[in-house]
Amino acid sequence: MAQSEASSANPASNPRRTLLIIVIFFLGLVMVLAYSLPSRSLFGASGPKAVQPVPEDTVIARVGSRTVTAKEYTTSLQNLVSMYRRYAAQLASGGGNFPLSIQQLRQQGSDRAILQQLVRRRIIELEAERLGLMATEGEIQQRLREQFRDENGRFIGVEKYKKQLLRMGTSYVEFERDLAYTILEEKLRNFITSGIQISPQEAEEEYRRQNTRFELSYVVLPATDFEKGVAEPTDEELRAYFDAHKEDFRPTKDRRKVRYIYVSQDKAAEIIPVSDEELQKEYDPNKQVKSVQVSQIVLKVLTPKDEDKVLQKANELVARARGKEGVPAEDFASLARGNSQDTATAAKGGDLGKVERSNVKPGEAVEAAFTLGVGEVSEPVRRGNAFYIFKVTDRAIKTFEEAKPGLLAIVRNRLSYAKASQLADEAVSLLSRTRNFEETAKTIAAKLNLTPDDVKRETPFFAPGDDVPDIGSNPSFEEKTSALTEPNDVGEKVGVRGGFAIPQLVEIKKPGDPTLDEVRDKVVAKVKQEKALQKAYDRAKELIAAAKNAAGLKSAAEAMKLKVEEIKDFNDTAYLDNKSFPAAFPNAEKVKVGELIPMPLYAARNAAPTVAVVAVTSRKDADLTKFAERRKETMDRLRGDRANNLFETYIDGVKARLKEAGQLRVDRALAERVVVAAAANEPAAE
């Protein structure tokens, strides 16, 4: 008995009992996690997997003796997101389209820009160190005293300074490190650019360029307008283009191929049972007007300055047609005969006759008549260059049976999102549990009265930002699939065009040279685009030849069914058709008023492929009498621009030398892992 009590008092002395306690504890932990994390499994069999963070001290880039670590990269990503979130909060009432998560930064390509900036910073630090231009402690303290002053111009003190930084969301250590970098960059920039000189002649020429104005007539010919006439490229053309432009198709990020179950909202709508009783609740006779007998009064607005006067008259006519207390309504037909400026209907007392709802296009003025009851007069309706006033004298209403198909579509459409979402949840649960794509497709298809092939889809390899067939560029789809790291991993449901997708990872390819087959769709699109752009260019040359000069541009364009646009105040920074044409201004300077620029112009490189034909119709040269008072400002701006260009060229040269010497290395695949992990483990915005 004593032995038994001793054993009970000390579990470690009884191996079987100890094992039992451990097993019970482990099973309890499993149960807790199972209930608290319903979308994930301890064993990786359910839902999207969490991505393991990269160790903080992992080096992702080396620049000489300096490094960029995973921690620095992650912190930079988080800081940028935090900044955007603050901006978004400040602009909550005024808009602002900011990336509010690391995943959204990634979709915009901003993660790569941040890494490039970190590497650039290390290059500048290394070069400043080589030239003995590092920031001293005295320079840092002096700058702090200049930046953190009270109302009397005195330094606020160390403790207040540190507290102020904490309120700004940073520590004094980080701030002073960044300040030291700012100082050394300034010193390096001054060292490199101190010899820049701007002559008075250069300043005058810049002033002349900035202040010369043109009036232009122009025709834009987007490549997209010519794509229909482009034949499918041959295999030989694709191979030749791919071989000549491999760098353009080389991915910098992981590419994923996924298959997914597609739950169509339209198909989900078809299986929703709706009773006549539910449809009766939806039936509103006032929303089922199929035709109206209507009359109108039309008042034209001949010039913009006439608008207020015309609207005032329209309101007066509405008041007279409706009548008010003690004043009977006037006859609408008489008002139309005496005031309407639509001669065709005015003579008939404004009578438009019977108007069928099915014949009215969205946006037409008479659409307002279908919201009126019999005998009612509308408010003035502005469309085009006129105000319209309508009176309904009779109307025909659809019976319940006539309206029933439309009502059924409305009700099903309202319920279809919830039904499709429910089926998508079932698909996520089944696919996460079984990992059997075919069986899941079969089960979901049966519920939609479809075949399995109707709900099964598969993407080609894609990277963030790519257009995915049937899905397009979808940030939510990218976010859900980027967390999938192993074949057969299952993602959460995601809204796509017309329904939901439940993705399952097929394969990941690391950055590297793709084969033509892997990027064939992109190469085809690029070849067709360039052929279309050439067709647009050839058409533009035909237009120039036919027009001969500015006066002939309109008639020549109309003959080719092209539209002439005008810009009244064109300068070196202005756009044509919302696109930059870099050669427009320098070429406009070379031709006389009334002449065409002799060759078609291309839009800037990053704009949609477009060419333009441009004619100069007027020119106003810069007023050089005002140059004297603007000389210093102009010279300072030129000096600043030239200094920036020289500094960036210098840093690019240092970067090239480091690369050539093998002293600059960036592990892009590892950097990608850091971003994916940071995005997957990022806490949600509050």
Side-chain angles (χ1 to χ4, degrees):
M1 183 69 180
Q3 178 62 41
S4 175
E5 288 175 355
S7 298
S8 299
N10 184 7
S13 65
N14 188 332
R16 292 181 64 188
R17 184 177 180 84
T18 301
L19 179 61
L20 179 61
I21 291 172
I22 292 171
V23 169
I24 291 172
F25 173 80
F26 180 73
L27 288 174
L29 178 62
V30 169
M31 292 296 290
V32 170
L33 290 175
Y35 282 100
S36 62
L37 300 173
S39 65
R40 298 181 185 272
S41 165
L42 292 175
F43 309 105
S46 172
K49 291 175 56 177
V51 179
Q52 292 302 314
V54 177
E56 291 185 346
D57 59 353
T58 303
V59 173
I60 58 176
R62 291 186 183 277
V63 183
S65 59
R66 296 173 181 269
T67 62
V68 176
T69 65
K71 181 180 179 181
E72 291 169 312
Y73 190 24
T74 302
T75 300
S76 295
L77 293 166
Q78 292 168 341
N79 288 345
L80 187 58
V81 168
S82 296
M83 181 187 74
Y84 281 134
R85 286 178 179 175
R86 287 197 297 273
Y87 287 165
Q90 292 167 6
L91 296 174
S93 60
N97 185 20
F98 300 107
L100 302 180
S101 68
I102 292 174
Q103 180 61 29
Q104 290 176 8
L105 284 181
R106 183 170 178 252
Q107 289 154 4
Q108 293 182 356
S110 298
D111 56 326
R112 287 172 294 191
I114 292 170
L115 181 57
Q116 288 168 1
Q117 285 300 311
L118 289 171
V119 170
R120 179 182 182 275
R121 178 167 173 158
R122 296 296 180 268
I123 293 170
I124 290 172
E125 290 171 347
L126 197 68
E127 186 65 3
E129 184 179 40
R130 185 182 74 81
L131 295 171
L133 299 173
M134 301 298 284
T136 66
E137 185 61 28
E139 289 169 331
I140 295 171
Q141 294 305 316
Q142 177 62 30
R143 191 69 64 89
L144 287 175
R145 282 168 168 73
E146 291 171 356
Q147 290 187 14
F148 293 88
R149 294 178 176 177
D150 60 20
E151 61 275 9
N152 298 316
R154 293 190 295 268
F155 179 55
I156 61 176
V158 174
E159 290 306 314
K160 284 186 177 180
Y161 148 69
K162 290 181 179 179
K163 287 179 180 178
Q164 190 168 323
L165 289 177
L166 286 174
R167 287 196 298 270
M168 294 163 58
T170 187
S171 70
Y172 78 93
V173 174
E174 292 173 341
F175 182 82
E176 291 182 14
R177 184 178 62 237
D178 290 341
L179 185 57
Y181 170 77
T182 299
I183 293 169
L184 73 84
E185 182 178 352
E186 288 174 2
K187 292 167 77 171
L188 179 60
R189 183 182 292 270
N190 291 336
F191 176 81
I192 293 165
T193 64
S194 58
I196 290 176
Q197 298 293 326
I198 303 297
S199 70
Q201 292 79 12
E202 288 176 303
E204 182 176 323
E205 182 56 35
E206 173 68 7
Y207 179 82
R208 187 193 306 274
R209 188 174 64 83
Q210 289 287 331
N211 293 279
T212 298
R213 297 289 191 270
F214 295 94
E215 289 185 16
L216 306 178
S217 293
Y218 64 94
V219 176
V220 292
L221 297 93
T224 51
D225 289 354
F226 295 83
E227 287 178 352
K228 288 184 179 178
V230 174
E232 287 295 319
T234 64
D235 287 344
E236 291 75 16
E237 288 176 313
L238 294 177
R239 171 57 63 185
Y241 189 90
F242 175 70
D243 289 342
H245 300 85
K246 276 187 178 178
E247 195 66 31
D248 295 345
F249 300 101
R250 182 175 291 122
T252 58
K253 293 181 176 288
D254 287 351
R255 291 167 294 151
R256 285 171 166 76
K257 177 189 281 190
V258 302
R259 53 183 166 244
Y260 60 95
I261 306 293
Y262 176 65
V263 180
S264 164
Q265 193 171 328
D266 287 343
K267 294 300 180 182
E270 293 176 8
I271 64 170
I272 297 172
V274 181
S275 67
D276 277 7
E277 185 179 356
E278 290 175 286
L279 294 181
Q280 284 283 4
K281 293 176 183 177
E282 192 72 24
Y283 179 69
D284 178 353
N286 290 318
K287 295 180 181 178
Q288 300 298 332
V289 180
K290 60 181 179 180
S291 67
V292 290
Q293 190 77 28
V294 62
S295 300
Q296 67 174 8
I297 297 172
V298 181
L299 302 177
K300 294 182 179 178
V301 181
L302 300 179
T303 66
K305 66 181 181 181
D306 296 329
E307 181 162 353
D308 289 343
K309 187 185 298 183
V310 176
L311 177 57
Q312 182 180 352
K313 182 176 180 180
N315 284 326
E316 290 171 357
L317 289 171
V318 168
R320 291 167 64 185
R322 288 177 175 174
K324 54 185 178 181
E325 268 187 60
V327 181
E330 295 184 36
D331 179 54
F332 192 89
S334 298
L335 291 174
R337 289 190 189 96
N339 295 278
S340 183
Q341 293 172 307
D342 179 64
T343 54
T345 57
K348 298 185 293 182
D351 186 20
L352 273 174
K354 183 179 179 181
V355 180
E356 297 286 345
R357 186 71 179 88
S358 59
N359 294 332
V360 177
K361 296 177 182 177
E364 283 192 57
V366 74
E367 197 173 24
F370 287 84
T371 64
L372 302 174
V374 174
E376 290 184 344
V377 176
S378 74
E379 293 291 330
V381 178
R382 176 67 189 268
R383 288 293 185 276
N385 65 341
F387 283 99
Y388 296 80
I389 304 166
F390 297 104
K391 180 174 182 178
V392 170
T393 55
D394 195 8
R395 65 178 187 173
I397 306 294
K398 290 181 183 178
T399 64
F400 172 72
E401 288 302 321
E402 290 175 319
K404 192 172 176 179
L407 295 173
L408 183 60
I410 290 170
V411 173
R412 280 181 167 171
N413 186 59
R414 189 166 62 237
L415 300 176
S416 63
Y417 181 89
K419 184 63 176 180
S421 180
Q422 173 202 328
L423 290 172
D425 287 337
E426 292 179 23
V428 170
S429 176
L430 180 58
L431 187 56
S432 297
R433 189 173 68 252
T434 66
R435 299 298 178 98
N436 191 321
F437 187 79
E438 296 296 331
E439 282 302 314
T440 302
K442 185 176 178 181
T443 300
I444 298 302
K447 294 189 175 191
L448 289 166
N449 296 326
L450 299 171
T451 68
D453 286 344
D454 292 327
V455 302
K456 292 191 301 184
R457 294 187 181 176
E458 185 168 297
T459 72
F461 282 100
F462 67 92
D466 285 352
D467 257 353
V468 180
D470 298 321
I471 289 177
S473 181
N474 186 321
S476 296
F477 187 78
E478 289 178 11
E479 183 176 355
K480 297 295 190 269
T481 55
S482 67
L484 309 180
T485 57
E486 300 293 338
N488 295 322
D489 279 355
V490 178
E492 299 171 13
K493 72 180 180 188
V494 55
V496 296
R497 293 173 184 168
F500 291 92
I502 298 85
Q504 183 178 43
L505 182 65
V506 176
E507 186 180 353
I508 294 179
K509 282 199 173 182
K510 297 295 181 184
D513 288 333
T515 65
L516 173 57
D517 284 342
E518 289 174 349
V519 293
R520 179 175 289 271
D521 289 345
K522 291 182 180 179
V523 179
V524 168
K526 197 67 180 175
V527 171
K528 292 178 74 172
Q529 184 185 78
E530 293 204 359
K531 285 185 174 184
L533 185 60
Q534 184 60 51
K535 282 181 174 288
Y537 188 83
D538 293 341
R539 188 68 164 162
K541 287 200 296 184
E542 293 173 13
L543 177 59
I544 291 172
K548 295 185 173 57
N549 53 41
L553 182 59
K554 185 175 181 180
S555 59
E558 287 176 351
M560 294 183 177
K561 297 183 179 179
L562 298 170
K563 184 179 180 182
V564 178
E565 305 281 357
E566 292 182 348
I567 182 168
K568 297 295 185 183
D569 187 25
F570 181 80
N571 62 16
D572 193 33
T573 60
Y575 281 34
L576 303 178
D577 194 46
N578 295 319
K579 300 176 187 65
S580 172
F581 286 82
F585 187 86
N587 277 284
E589 286 190 304
K590 295 174 185 176
V591 302
K592 297 176 182 177
V593 173
E595 291 184 348
L596 291 162
I597 293 175
M599 295 298 291
L601 305 177
Y602 286 105
R605 183 177 178 185
N606 293 328
T610 307
V611 296
V613 173
V614 178
V616 177
T617 57
S618 177
R619 172 175 179 150
K620 182 180 180 182
D621 287 315
D623 182 359
L624 292 179
T625 62
K626 297 181 180 179
F627 171 60
E629 62 189 65
R630 304 284 295 276
R631 180 184 286 110
K632 184 178 183 305
E633 174 192 329
T634 304
M635 293 181 77
D636 288 345
R637 186 178 67 252
L638 269 179
R639 188 181 294 110
D641 291 344
R642 195 166 297 178
N644 286 335
N645 290 335
L646 178 59
F647 183 69
E648 293 304 323
T649 301
Y650 181 92
I651 297 303
D652 286 344
V654 175
K655 181 178 180 180
R657 290 196 300 274
L658 289 169
K659 272 188 174 180
E660 189 175 350
Q663 292 185 300
L664 196 165
R665 296 186 297 277
V666 179
D667 190 332
R668 299 196 181 280
L670 187 55
E672 172 76 358
R673 281 180 53 203
V674 171
V675 179
V676 170
N681 295 288
E682 181 179 29
E686 295 181 0

